């Protein structure tokens, strides 16, 4: 299976007034899950490998103006794909690795911007995929999970914020 790589997603506010319901800036990477090559398991066929997932860069930058999303989410998570099962007794595969990227909320130095949001979520976690199972062979291990970087740099401006949650967890996938 293929790996998934998050790209770069960003929002920059330098002037004007922006009011909206929900804003998600997402650059997540999700690995493909393993499946039998033919779509149906064939005895003696090798199980497909799970893909890895690597988060990219999700950034919101405020320099001027007024920016008021009811909820703001910056998401640069990486999620590994699920390992392939092998029910006819062959070897199942391991889950893919998940590696978090970079999620940042920035207000520029000397900026006059105003940010108002009742909920801010900044995520750069990595989650490994679950290992596959086998009825009579070897089960797969869970994939590794490595957190990335979730940060804020609020230099200047005005802020009215509800709960702010930053997460850069690394969670390994379940093995069987």
């Amino acid at each position: 299976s293929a790996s998934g790589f998050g790209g770069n997603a960003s929002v920059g506010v330098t002037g004007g007034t922006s009011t909206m319901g929900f804003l998600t800036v997402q650059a997540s990477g999700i690995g493909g899950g393993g499946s039998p090559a033919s779509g149906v398991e064939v005895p003696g066929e090798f199980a497909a490998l799970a893909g890895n997932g690597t988060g990219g860069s999700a950034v919101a930058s405020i320099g001027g103006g007024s920016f008021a999303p009811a909820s703001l989410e910056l998401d640069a998570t990486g999620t590994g794909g699920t390992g392939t099962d092998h029910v006819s007794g062959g070897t199942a595969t391991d889950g893919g690795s998940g590696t978090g990227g970079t999620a940042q909320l920035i207000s520029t130095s000397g900026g006059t911007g105003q940010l108002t949001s009742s909920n801010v979520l900044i995520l750069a976690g990595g989650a490994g995929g679950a290992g596959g199972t086998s009825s009579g062979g070897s089960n797969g291990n869970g994939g590794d999970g490595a957190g990335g970087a979730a940060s804020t740099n609020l230099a200047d401006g005005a802020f009215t914020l509800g709960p702010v949650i930053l997460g850069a967890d690394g969670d390994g996938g379940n093995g069987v």
Side-chain angles (χ1 to χ4, degrees), residues 22 25 31 40 49 82 92 96 103 115-116 120 124-125 128 148 154 170:
F22 299 95
V25 180
V40 176
L49 300 176
T82 302
L115 173 62
T116 302
V120 178
L154 305 178

Side-chain angles (χ1 to χ4, degrees), residues 29-140:
I30 301 171
S35 63
S38 62
V40 176
E41 184 180 315
V42 175
E45 182 179 76
F46 291 107
L49 300 176
N52 299 322
T54 304
S57 174
V59 177
S61 176
I62 296 97
S66 176
F67 184 50
S71 180
L72 175 62
E73 180 178 349
L74 307 174
D75 184 355
T77 55
T79 305
T82 302
T84 304
D85 295 338
H86 212 291
V87 295
S88 65
T91 301
T93 58
D94 296 341
S97 295
T99 304
T102 301
Q104 294 180 303
L105 174 60
I106 301 169
S107 69
T108 58
S109 179
T112 59
Q114 296 178 347
L115 173 62
T116 302
S117 185
S118 60
N119 185 47
V120 178
L121 186 59
I122 303 169
L123 302 173
T133 60
S134 177
S135 61
S138 298
N139 294 323

